[in-house]
Amino acid sequence: MLVDSHCHLNFEQLSSQLDDVVRRAELAGVGHMLTIGTKLREFEAVRSIAETYSNIHCSVGIHPHEAEVEGADVTVEKLVSLADHPRVVGIGETGLDYFYEHAPRDVQKRSFRIHIEAARKTGLPLIVHTRNADQDTIDILTEEYKKGPFKGLIHCFSSGWEVAEKSMEIGFSISISGIVTFKAADELRDHVRRIPLDRLLVETDSPYLAPVPNRGKTNEPSFVAHTAARVADLKDVSADEVAEVTTRNFFTLFDKIRRED
C-alpha cells in the first residue's frame, strides 16, 4: 500500500471528479490520502471530504500565500479548536514562501509560529511548506523547538540540504513529491539518496507537479506511485519496500489515524 501524504482534493481540478480520483488511487495501490487545509474559509469543504471517504483524513491550516488575507482569523486557539475532530490529523500547511511573496515576510513568520504552537498544543504533526526561505525556516523551527518539542515534516521537499539536515535533527520527516522525477532535479535526487528511508514520505501535492511520465497533466493521488518508484530507484531498493516503509512512516507520524481506517 502507498499513501499520498499531501494532496488538495478540494481544489476544483480534483473535486469535480472526486469519486473517480479516489477510485483511480485505490486501483493504483494508494490506500490512504491526506487532503490539506490551506485556507480557514475553505476548511469545511476539506473536512467534508475526509468525512465522506474512510481512507482520507485532513489537516487544518493557512498556506503562507494566504497569511495576509486570513491573518486576522488565525489564532492558536482557533486552530486547536478546529483540530479537535476525528478526521483532522495535522496542522498546516504553513511555513514560508519567499518565491512568490504573496504575503509580507513578517506576516508569514507570525502565522508560521502560531501554527507551530498549535501543533505543540495538539500533539499533531506540523506540515511545513518552505520555498526560497531556507535560513528563516531553519531558524524558526530551531528556535521554536527549544521552547518545547513538536513533530512534523517538510512537505514537497526541494530545498537545500541544510533544511533536511536541521529538520531531521529535531525529528522531522521529509516528504518527496513528483519533482524528484523532473529532468532538472539532480540536486534533489542527490538529497534523496542521503535521506534515510525511515524519514521519507511520498506525496503528490496534487493537482500540481505531476510526475514523469504524466508531466503536463492534472496531478492526482494515483500518480504517487511514479514518485515512489523513482525514490526506490534512487535508494536502490524495491518499490514494495518503499511502499511499505513510507506507509509505516506516515502512520507513525500521523498517529491520530488508526491504521485500520
Side-chain angles (χ1 to χ4, degrees), residues 201-214:
L201 303 178
V202 287
E203 65 168 89
T204 58
D205 202 15
S206 52
Y208 310 116
L209 303 175
V212 174
N214 296 305

Side-chain angles (χ1 to χ4, degrees), residues 3 11 18 39 67 76-77 80-82 103 106 108 111 115 133 153 162 170 174 193 199 201 216 247:
V3 174
F11 287 18
L18 196 50
K39 305 173 185 176
V76 173
E77 293 73 22
V80 169
S81 176
L82 292 172
D106 61 329
Q108 292 187 46
S111 178
H115 283 73
L153 62 88
E162 192 177 8
I170 63 171
I174 308 294
R193 292 185 183 98
R199 291 297 189 91
L201 303 178
T247 295

Side-chain angles (χ1 to χ4, degrees), residues 7 36 39 67 132 227 240 253 260:
C7 53
I36 302 298
K39 305 173 185 176
N132 285 35
T227 298
D240 285 347
L253 179 60
E260 61 267 25

Side-chain angles (χ1 to χ4, degrees), residues 158-185:
S158 60
S159 302
W161 174 250
E162 192 177 8
V163 171
E165 181 178 45
K166 295 300 183 182
S167 61
M168 287 191 293
E169 284 179 4
I170 63 171
F172 269 39
S173 298
I174 308 294
S175 185
I176 305 301
S177 73
I179 294 173
V180 76
T181 71
F182 295 0
K183 183 177 180 180

Side-chain angles (χ1 to χ4, degrees), residues 87 97 101 152 198 209 221:
R87 307 304 293 179
D97 193 312
E101 298 207 71
D198 65 3
L209 303 175

